[in-house]
Amino acid sequence: ISFLRDAFLYKATGSEKGIFNADRVKEIKVLAGEFELEKLDYLITKLVTLGSYVDYNVNPKIVVDVLTNDVKKLTSES
């Protein structure tokens, strides 16, 4: 989530200031270049939601499958 947050922050500001994962700035910039702000926001929200499902004992494989399908859908739209 923090990696996506960093990509969102970089995409929104164009600045590396405030990035948590300073050791991965190159990858963050690439990710920020590949997704619109709305899609990054969607992925962050989806991860938080799916994480809460795991807290309630939903099968983690199902959670990963849902997330994988959503990422595939978003990347095919880009």
Side-chain angles (χ1 to χ4, degrees):
I1 293 173
S2 70
F3 187 79
L4 288 172
R5 175 237 175 241
D6 287 346
F8 183 91
L9 181 65
Y10 181 78
K11 179 82 172 187
T13 66
S15 172
E16 296 176 20
K17 186 176 182 177
I19 289 179
F20 291 150
N21 300 287
D23 59 324
R24 301 194 61 199
V25 169
K26 187 176 180 180
E27 294 98 331
I28 289 165
K29 288 180 178 180
V30 169
L31 185 64
E34 292 181 12
F35 289 99
E36 299 169 5
L37 281 173
E38 294 80 15
K39 290 181 180 181
L40 289 168
D41 181 53
Y42 173 82
L43 286 172
I44 293 166
T45 303
K46 191 70 165 192
L47 277 172
V48 170
T49 302
L50 291 174
S52 70
Y53 292 169
V54 172
D55 291 340
Y56 289 103
N57 295 322
V58 172
N59 184 333
K61 184 183 178 333
I62 293 171
V63 170
V64 171
D65 288 345
V66 169
L67 183 61
T68 302
N69 287 334
D70 281 358
V71 170
K72 284 180 184 178
K73 180 180 168 187
L74 290 176
T75 56
S76 70
E77 292 174 1
S78 296

Coordinates of all heavy atoms in Angstrom, one line a residue:
I1 N 0.8 -1.2 0.0 CA 0.0 0.0 0.0 C 0.9 1.2 0.0 O 0.6 2.2 -0.7 CB -1.0 0.0 1.2 CG1 -2.0 -1.1 1.0 CG2 -1.7 1.3 1.3 CD1 -2.9 -1.4 2.2
S2 N 2.0 1.2 0.8 CA 2.8 2.4 0.8 C 3.5 2.7 -0.5 O 3.7 3.8 -0.9 CB 3.9 2.3 1.9 OG 4.8 1.3 1.6
F3 N 3.8 1.6 -1.3 CA 4.4 1.8 -2.6 C 3.4 2.4 -3.5 O 3.8 3.4 -4.3 CB 4.8 0.4 -3.1 CG 5.6 0.4 -4.4 CD1 6.9 0.7 -4.4 CD2 5.0 0.1 -5.6 CE1 7.6 0.8 -5.6 CE2 5.7 0.2 -6.8 CZ 7.0 0.5 -6.8
L4 N 2.2 2.0 -3.5 CA 1.1 2.6 -4.4 C 0.9 4.1 -3.9 O 0.7 5.0 -4.7 CB -0.2 1.8 -4.3 CG -0.2 0.5 -5.1 CD1 -1.4 -0.3 -4.8 CD2 0.0 0.7 -6.6
R5 N 0.9 4.3 -2.6 CA 0.7 5.6 -2.1 C 1.8 6.6 -2.6 O 1.6 7.7 -3.0 CB 0.8 5.6 -0.5 CG 0.7 6.9 0.1 CD 1.9 7.0 1.1 NE 2.0 8.4 1.7 CZ 3.1 9.2 1.5 NH1 4.1 8.8 0.7 NH2 3.1 10.3 2.0
D6 N 3.1 6.0 -2.6 CA 4.2 6.8 -3.1 C 4.0 7.1 -4.6 O 4.3 8.2 -5.0 CB 5.5 6.1 -2.9 CG 6.0 6.0 -1.5 OD1 5.4 6.8 -0.7 OD2 6.9 5.2 -1.2
A7 N 3.5 6.2 -5.4 CA 3.3 6.4 -6.8 C 2.2 7.5 -7.0 O 2.3 8.3 -7.8 CB 2.9 5.1 -7.5
F8 N 1.2 7.4 -6.2 CA 0.1 8.4 -6.2 C 0.6 9.7 -5.9 O 0.3 10.7 -6.6 CB -1.0 8.0 -5.2 CG -2.2 8.9 -5.2 CD1 -3.3 8.6 -6.1 CD2 -2.3 10.0 -4.5 CE1 -4.4 9.4 -6.1 CE2 -3.4 10.8 -4.5 CZ -4.5 10.5 -5.3
L9 N 1.4 9.8 -4.8 CA 2.0 11.1 -4.4 C 2.9 11.7 -5.5 O 2.8 12.9 -5.8 CB 2.7 10.9 -3.1 CG 3.4 12.2 -2.5 CD1 2.3 13.2 -2.1 CD2 4.3 11.8 -1.3
Y10 N 3.7 10.9 -6.0 CA 4.6 11.3 -7.1 C 3.8 11.8 -8.3 O 4.1 12.8 -8.9 CB 5.6 10.2 -7.5 CG 6.6 10.7 -8.5 CD1 7.6 11.6 -8.2 CD2 6.4 10.4 -9.9 CE1 8.5 12.1 -9.2 CE2 7.2 10.9 -10.9 CZ 8.3 11.7 -10.5 OH 9.1 12.2 -11.5
K11 N 2.8 11.0 -8.7 CA 2.0 11.4 -9.9 C 1.3 12.7 -9.6 O 1.2 13.5 -10.5 CB 1.0 10.2 -10.1 CG 0.0 10.5 -11.3 CD 0.7 10.1 -12.5 CE -0.3 10.1 -13.7 NZ 0.4 9.6 -14.9
A12 N 0.8 12.9 -8.4 CA 0.0 14.1 -8.1 C 0.9 15.3 -8.0 O 0.5 16.4 -8.4 CB -0.8 13.9 -6.8
T13 N 2.1 15.2 -7.5 CA 3.0 16.3 -7.2 C 4.2 16.5 -8.1 O 4.7 17.6 -8.3 CB 3.5 16.3 -5.8 OG1 4.4 15.2 -5.6 CG2 2.4 16.2 -4.8
G14 N 4.6 15.4 -8.7 CA 5.8 15.4 -9.5 C 7.1 15.5 -8.7 O 8.2 15.8 -9.2
S15 N 7.0 15.3 -7.4 CA 8.1 15.5 -6.5 C 8.4 14.2 -5.7 O 7.4 13.5 -5.4 CB 7.8 16.6 -5.5 OG 8.7 16.7 -4.5
E16 N 9.6 14.0 -5.4 CA 10.0 12.8 -4.6 C 9.9 13.1 -3.1 O 10.0 12.2 -2.3 CB 11.5 12.4 -4.9 CG 11.7 12.0 -6.3 CD 13.1 11.7 -6.6 OE1 13.9 11.5 -5.7 OE2 13.5 11.7 -7.8
K17 N 9.6 14.3 -2.8 CA 9.4 14.7 -1.4 C 8.2 14.0 -0.8 O 7.1 14.0 -1.3 CB 9.2 16.2 -1.3 CG 9.2 16.7 0.2 CD 9.1 18.3 0.2 CE 9.1 18.7 1.6 NZ 9.1 20.2 1.7
G18 N 8.5 13.4 0.4 CA 7.4 12.7 1.1 C 7.3 11.2 0.7 O 6.4 10.5 1.3
I19 N 8.1 10.7 -0.2 CA 8.0 9.3 -0.6 C 8.6 8.5 0.6 O 9.7 8.7 1.0 CB 8.8 9.1 -1.9 CG1 8.0 9.7 -3.0 CG2 9.0 7.6 -2.1 CD1 8.6 9.6 -4.4
F20 N 7.9 7.4 1.0 CA 8.3 6.5 2.0 C 9.4 5.6 1.6 O 10.4 5.3 2.2 CB 7.2 5.7 2.6 CG 6.2 6.4 3.3 CD1 4.8 6.0 3.4 CD2 6.4 7.6 4.1 CE1 3.9 6.6 4.1 CE2 5.5 8.2 4.8 CZ 4.2 7.8 4.8
N21 N 9.2 5.0 0.4 CA 10.1 4.0 -0.2 C 11.2 4.7 -1.0 O 11.3 4.4 -2.3 CB 9.3 3.0 -1.0 CG 8.3 2.3 -0.1 OD1 8.6 1.5 0.7 ND2 7.0 2.7 -0.3
A22 N 12.0 5.5 -0.4 CA 13.1 6.2 -1.1 C 14.0 5.3 -1.9 O 14.6 5.8 -2.9 CB 13.8 7.1 -0.2
D23 N 14.2 4.1 -1.5 CA 15.1 3.2 -2.1 C 14.5 2.6 -3.4 O 15.2 2.0 -4.2 CB 15.5 2.1 -1.2 CG 14.3 1.3 -0.7 OD1 13.2 1.9 -0.5 OD2 14.4 0.0 -0.5
R24 N 13.2 2.9 -3.7 CA 12.6 2.4 -4.9 C 12.0 3.5 -5.7 O 11.0 3.3 -6.5 CB 11.5 1.4 -4.4 CG 12.1 0.3 -3.6 CD 11.3 -0.9 -3.3 NE 10.9 -1.5 -4.6 CZ 9.8 -2.3 -4.7 NH1 9.1 -2.6 -3.6 NH2 9.5 -2.9 -5.8
V25 N 12.6 4.7 -5.7 CA 12.1 5.8 -6.5 C 11.9 5.5 -7.9 O 11.0 5.9 -8.6 CB 12.9 7.1 -6.2 CG1 12.6 8.2 -7.1 CG2 12.8 7.5 -4.8
K26 N 12.9 4.8 -8.5 CA 12.9 4.5 -9.9 C 11.6 3.7 -10.3 O 10.9 4.1 -11.2 CB 14.1 3.7 -10.3 CG 14.3 3.5 -11.8 CD 15.6 2.8 -12.1 CE 15.8 2.6 -13.5 NZ 17.0 1.9 -13.8
E27 N 11.3 2.7 -9.5 CA 10.1 1.9 -9.8 C 8.8 2.7 -9.5 O 7.8 2.5 -10.2 CB 10.1 0.6 -8.9 CG 11.2 -0.4 -9.2 CD 12.4 -0.2 -8.2 OE1 12.7 0.9 -7.7 OE2 13.1 -1.2 -8.0
I28 N 8.9 3.5 -8.5 CA 7.7 4.4 -8.2 C 7.4 5.3 -9.4 O 6.2 5.4 -9.8 CB 7.9 5.2 -6.9 CG1 7.9 4.2 -5.7 CG2 6.9 6.3 -6.7 CD1 8.4 4.8 -4.4
K29 N 8.4 5.9 -10.0 CA 8.2 6.8 -11.1 C 7.6 6.0 -12.3 O 6.8 6.5 -13.0 CB 9.5 7.4 -11.5 CG 10.0 8.5 -10.5 CD 11.3 9.1 -10.9 CE 11.7 10.2 -10.0 NZ 13.0 10.8 -10.4
V30 N 8.1 4.8 -12.5 CA 7.6 4.0 -13.6 C 6.1 3.7 -13.4 O 5.3 3.8 -14.3 CB 8.4 2.6 -13.8 CG1 7.7 1.7 -14.7 CG2 9.8 2.9 -14.2
L31 N 5.8 3.2 -12.2 CA 4.4 2.9 -11.9 C 3.5 4.2 -12.0 O 2.4 4.1 -12.6 CB 4.3 2.4 -10.5 CG 2.9 1.9 -10.0 CD1 2.4 0.7 -10.9 CD2 2.9 1.5 -8.6
A32 N 4.0 5.3 -11.5 CA 3.2 6.5 -11.6 C 3.0 6.9 -13.1 O 2.0 7.5 -13.5 CB 4.0 7.7 -10.9
G33 N 4.0 6.6 -14.0 CA 3.8 6.9 -15.4 C 2.8 6.0 -16.1 O 2.3 6.3 -17.1
E34 N 2.6 4.8 -15.5 CA 1.7 3.8 -16.2 C 0.3 3.9 -15.8 O -0.6 3.4 -16.5 CB 2.2 2.4 -15.8 CG 3.5 2.1 -16.5 CD 4.0 0.7 -16.2 OE1 3.2 -0.1 -15.7 OE2 5.2 0.4 -16.5
F35 N 0.0 4.6 -14.7 CA -1.4 4.6 -14.2 C -1.9 6.1 -13.9 O -1.1 6.9 -13.5 CB -1.6 3.9 -12.9 CG -1.5 2.4 -13.0 CD1 -0.3 1.7 -12.7 CD2 -2.6 1.6 -13.4 CE1 -0.3 0.3 -12.8 CE2 -2.5 0.3 -13.6 CZ -1.4 -0.4 -13.3
E36 N -3.1 6.3 -14.2 CA -3.7 7.6 -13.9 C -4.0 7.7 -12.4 O -4.0 6.6 -11.7 CB -5.1 7.8 -14.6 CG -4.9 7.7 -16.1 CD -6.3 7.6 -16.8 OE1 -7.3 7.7 -16.1 OE2 -6.3 7.5 -18.0
L37 N -4.1 8.9 -11.8 CA -4.4 9.0 -10.4 C -5.6 8.2 -9.9 O -5.6 7.6 -8.9 CB -4.6 10.5 -10.1 CG -3.3 11.4 -9.9 CD1 -3.7 12.8 -9.7 CD2 -2.5 10.9 -8.8
E38 N -6.6 8.3 -10.8 CA -7.9 7.6 -10.4 C -7.6 6.1 -10.2 O -8.2 5.4 -9.3 CB -9.0 7.8 -11.4 CG -9.4 9.3 -11.5 CD -8.5 10.2 -12.3 OE1 -7.6 9.7 -13.0 OE2 -8.6 11.4 -12.1
K39 N -6.8 5.5 -11.1 CA -6.5 4.1 -11.0 C -5.6 3.7 -9.8 O -5.8 2.7 -9.2 CB -5.9 3.6 -12.3 CG -6.9 3.6 -13.5 CD -6.3 3.1 -14.8 CE -7.3 3.1 -15.9 NZ -6.7 2.6 -17.2
L40 N -4.7 4.6 -9.6 CA -3.9 4.4 -8.4 C -4.7 4.4 -7.1 O -4.6 3.6 -6.2 CB -2.7 5.4 -8.3 CG -1.6 5.2 -9.3 CD1 -0.7 6.4 -9.4 CD2 -0.8 3.9 -9.1
D41 N -5.6 5.4 -7.1 CA -6.5 5.5 -5.9 C -7.4 4.3 -5.8 O -7.6 3.8 -4.7 CB -7.4 6.8 -6.1 CG -8.3 7.0 -4.9 OD1 -7.8 7.0 -3.8 OD2 -9.5 7.2 -5.2
Y42 N -7.9 3.8 -6.9 CA -8.7 2.6 -6.9 C -8.0 1.4 -6.3 O -8.5 0.7 -5.5 CB -9.2 2.3 -8.3 CG -9.9 1.0 -8.4 CD1 -11.3 0.9 -8.1 CD2 -9.3 -0.1 -8.9 CE1 -12.0 -0.3 -8.2 CE2 -9.9 -1.4 -8.9 CZ -11.3 -1.4 -8.6 OH -11.9 -2.6 -8.7
L43 N -6.7 1.2 -6.8 CA -5.9 0.1 -6.3 C -5.6 0.2 -4.8 O -5.7 -0.8 -4.1 CB -4.6 0.0 -7.1 CG -4.7 -0.5 -8.5 CD1 -3.4 -0.3 -9.3 CD2 -5.2 -1.9 -8.5
I44 N -5.3 1.4 -4.3 CA -5.1 1.6 -2.9 C -6.3 1.2 -2.1 O -6.3 0.5 -1.1 CB -4.6 3.0 -2.6 CG1 -3.2 3.3 -3.2 CG2 -4.6 3.3 -1.1 CD1 -2.8 4.8 -3.3
T45 N -7.4 1.8 -2.5 CA -8.7 1.5 -1.9 C -9.0 0.0 -1.9 O -9.4 -0.6 -0.9 CB -9.9 2.3 -2.5 OG1 -9.5 3.7 -2.5 CG2 -11.2 2.0 -1.8
K46 N -8.8 -0.6 -3.0 CA -9.1 -2.1 -3.2 C -8.2 -2.9 -2.3 O -8.6 -3.9 -1.6 CB -8.8 -2.5 -4.7 CG -9.3 -3.9 -5.0 CD -10.8 -3.9 -5.0 CE -11.3 -5.1 -5.7 NZ -12.7 -5.1 -5.9
L47 N -6.9 -2.5 -2.2 CA -6.0 -3.3 -1.3 C -6.4 -3.1 0.2 O -6.4 -4.1 0.9 CB -4.6 -2.7 -1.4 CG -3.8 -3.3 -2.6 CD1 -2.4 -2.6 -2.7 CD2 -3.5 -4.8 -2.3
V48 N -6.8 -2.0 0.6 CA -7.3 -1.8 2.0 C -8.5 -2.6 2.2 O -8.6 -3.3 3.3 CB -7.6 -0.3 2.3 CG1 -8.3 -0.1 3.6 CG2 -6.3 0.5 2.2
T49 N -9.5 -2.6 1.3 CA -10.7 -3.4 1.4 C -10.4 -4.9 1.5 O -10.9 -5.6 2.3 CB -11.7 -3.1 0.3 OG1 -11.9 -1.7 0.2 CG2 -12.9 -3.9 0.4
L50 N -9.6 -5.3 0.5 CA -9.3 -6.8 0.5 C -8.5 -7.2 1.7 O -8.6 -8.3 2.2 CB -8.5 -7.1 -0.8 CG -9.3 -7.0 -2.1 CD1 -8.4 -7.2 -3.3 CD2 -10.4 -8.0 -2.1
G51 N -7.6 -6.3 2.2 CA -6.9 -6.6 3.5 C -7.8 -6.8 4.6 O -7.6 -7.7 5.5
S52 N -8.9 -6.0 4.7 CA -9.9 -6.2 5.8 C -10.6 -7.5 5.6 O -11.0 -8.1 6.6 CB -10.9 -5.0 5.8 OG -11.8 -5.1 4.7
Y53 N -10.8 -8.0 4.4 CA -11.4 -9.3 4.2 C -10.6 -10.4 4.8 O -11.1 -11.4 5.3 CB -11.7 -9.6 2.7 CG -12.7 -8.7 2.0 CD1 -12.8 -8.7 0.6 CD2 -13.5 -7.9 2.7 CE1 -13.8 -7.9 0.0 CE2 -14.5 -7.1 2.1 CZ -14.6 -7.1 0.7 OH -15.5 -6.3 0.1
V54 N -9.3 -10.3 4.6 CA -8.4 -11.3 5.1 C -8.5 -11.3 6.6 O -8.4 -12.4 7.3 CB -6.9 -11.1 4.6 CG1 -6.0 -12.0 5.4 CG2 -6.8 -11.3 3.1
D55 N -8.6 -10.1 7.2 CA -8.8 -10.0 8.7 C -10.0 -10.8 9.2 O -10.1 -11.2 10.3 CB -8.9 -8.6 9.1 CG -7.6 -7.8 9.0 OD1 -6.5 -8.5 8.9 OD2 -7.6 -6.6 8.9
Y56 N -11.0 -10.9 8.3 CA -12.2 -11.6 8.6 C -12.2 -13.1 8.1 O -13.3 -13.6 7.9 CB -13.5 -10.9 8.1 CG -13.7 -9.6 8.8 CD1 -13.4 -8.4 8.3 CD2 -14.3 -9.6 10.1 CE1 -13.6 -7.2 9.0 CE2 -14.5 -8.5 10.8 CZ -14.2 -7.3 10.3 OH -14.4 -6.1 11.0
N57 N -11.0 -13.6 7.9 CA -10.8 -15.0 7.5 C -11.3 -15.4 6.1 O -11.7 -16.5 5.9 CB -11.4 -15.9 8.5 CG -10.7 -15.8 9.9 OD1 -9.5 -15.6 9.9 ND2 -11.5 -15.8 10.9
V58 N -11.4 -14.4 5.2 CA -11.7 -14.8 3.8 C -10.4 -15.5 3.3 O -9.3 -15.1 3.6 CB -12.0 -13.6 3.0 CG1 -12.1 -13.9 1.5 CG2 -13.3 -12.9 3.4
N59 N -10.6 -16.5 2.4 CA -9.5 -17.2 1.9 C -8.5 -16.3 1.1 O -8.9 -15.6 0.2 CB -10.0 -18.3 0.9 CG -9.0 -19.2 0.3 OD1 -7.8 -18.8 0.2 ND2 -9.4 -20.4 -0.1
P60 N -7.3 -16.2 1.6 CA -6.3 -15.3 0.9 C -6.1 -15.5 -0.6 O -5.9 -14.6 -1.3 CB -5.0 -15.5 1.7 CG -5.4 -16.1 3.0 CD -6.7 -16.9 2.7
K61 N -6.3 -16.8 -1.0 CA -6.2 -17.1 -2.5 C -7.3 -16.3 -3.2 O -7.0 -15.8 -4.3 CB -6.3 -18.6 -2.7 CG -6.1 -18.9 -4.2 CD -6.2 -20.4 -4.4 CE -6.0 -20.8 -5.9 NZ -6.4 -19.8 -6.9
I62 N -8.5 -16.3 -2.7 CA -9.5 -15.6 -3.3 C -9.2 -14.1 -3.4 O -9.4 -13.4 -4.4 CB -10.9 -15.8 -2.6 CG1 -11.3 -17.3 -2.8 CG2 -12.0 -14.9 -3.1 CD1 -12.5 -17.7 -1.9
V63 N -8.7 -13.6 -2.3 CA -8.3 -12.1 -2.3 C -7.3 -11.8 -3.3 O -7.4 -10.8 -4.1 CB -7.9 -11.8 -0.9 CG1 -7.3 -10.4 -0.8 CG2 -9.0 -11.9 0.1
V64 N -6.3 -12.7 -3.4 CA -5.2 -12.4 -4.4 C -5.8 -12.6 -5.9 O -5.4 -11.8 -6.7 CB -4.1 -13.4 -4.2 CG1 -3.1 -13.3 -5.4 CG2 -3.4 -13.1 -2.9
D65 N -6.7 -13.5 -6.1 CA -7.3 -13.7 -7.4 C -8.1 -12.4 -7.8 O -8.0 -12.0 -8.9 CB -8.2 -14.9 -7.4 CG -7.4 -16.2 -7.4 OD1 -6.2 -16.2 -7.7 OD2 -8.1 -17.3 -7.2
V66 N -8.9 -11.9 -6.8 CA -9.7 -10.7 -7.1 C -8.7 -9.5 -7.5 O -8.9 -8.8 -8.4 CB -10.5 -10.3 -5.9 CG1 -11.2 -9.0 -6.1 CG2 -11.6 -11.4 -5.7
L67 N -7.7 -9.3 -6.7 CA -6.8 -8.3 -6.9 C -6.0 -8.4 -8.2 O -5.9 -7.5 -9.0 CB -5.7 -8.2 -5.8 CG -4.7 -7.0 -5.9 CD1 -5.5 -5.7 -5.9 CD2 -3.7 -7.1 -4.7
T68 N -5.6 -9.6 -8.6 CA -4.9 -9.9 -9.8 C -5.8 -9.6 -11.0 O -5.4 -9.0 -12.0 CB -4.5 -11.4 -9.9 OG1 -3.6 -11.6 -8.8 CG2 -3.8 -11.7 -11.2
N69 N -7.1 -10.0 -10.9 CA -8.0 -9.7 -12.0 C -8.3 -8.2 -12.2 O -8.4 -7.7 -13.3 CB -9.4 -10.4 -11.8 CG -9.3 -11.9 -12.0 OD1 -8.4 -12.4 -12.8 ND2 -10.1 -12.7 -11.3
D70 N -8.3 -7.5 -11.1 CA -8.5 -6.0 -11.1 C -7.3 -5.3 -11.7 O -7.5 -4.4 -12.6 CB -8.8 -5.4 -9.7 CG -10.2 -5.6 -9.3 OD1 -11.0 -6.2 -10.1 OD2 -10.5 -5.2 -8.2
V71 N -6.1 -5.8 -11.4 CA -4.9 -5.2 -11.9 C -4.8 -5.5 -13.4 O -4.5 -4.6 -14.2 CB -3.7 -5.7 -11.2 CG1 -2.4 -5.3 -11.9 CG2 -3.6 -5.1 -9.8
K72 N -5.2 -6.7 -13.8 CA -5.2 -7.0 -15.3 C -6.1 -6.1 -16.0 O -5.9 -5.7 -17.1 CB -5.5 -8.5 -15.5 CG -4.4 -9.5 -15.2 CD -4.9 -10.9 -15.4 CE -3.8 -11.9 -15.0 NZ -4.3 -13.3 -15.2
K73 N -7.3 -6.0 -15.4 CA -8.3 -5.1 -16.1 C -7.8 -3.7 -16.2 O -8.0 -3.1 -17.3 CB -9.6 -5.2 -15.2 CG -10.7 -4.3 -15.8 CD -12.0 -4.4 -14.9 CE -13.0 -3.4 -15.3 NZ -14.1 -3.3 -14.3
L74 N -7.2 -3.2 -15.2 CA -6.7 -1.8 -15.2 C -5.6 -1.6 -16.2 O -5.5 -0.6 -16.9 CB -6.3 -1.3 -13.8 CG -7.4 -1.1 -12.8 CD1 -6.8 -0.7 -11.4 CD2 -8.3 0.0 -13.2
T75 N -4.7 -2.6 -16.3 CA -3.6 -2.5 -17.2 C -4.0 -2.6 -18.6 O -3.4 -2.0 -19.5 CB -2.5 -3.5 -16.9 OG1 -3.0 -4.8 -16.9 CG2 -1.8 -3.2 -15.6
S76 N -5.1 -3.4 -18.9 CA -5.6 -3.5 -20.3 C -6.3 -2.3 -20.7 O -6.4 -2.0 -21.9 CB -6.5 -4.7 -20.4 OG -7.7 -4.6 -19.7
E77 N -6.8 -1.5 -19.8 CA -7.5 -0.2 -20.1 C -6.5 0.9 -20.4 O -6.9 1.9 -20.9 CB -8.4 0.2 -18.9 CG -9.6 -0.7 -18.7 CD -10.4 -0.4 -17.5 OE1 -10.0 0.6 -16.8 OE2 -11.3 -1.1 -17.2
S78 N -5.3 0.8 -19.9 CA -4.3 1.9 -20.0 C -3.8 2.0 -21.4 O -3.7 1.1 -22.2 CB -3.1 1.6 -19.1 OG -3.5 1.7 -17.7

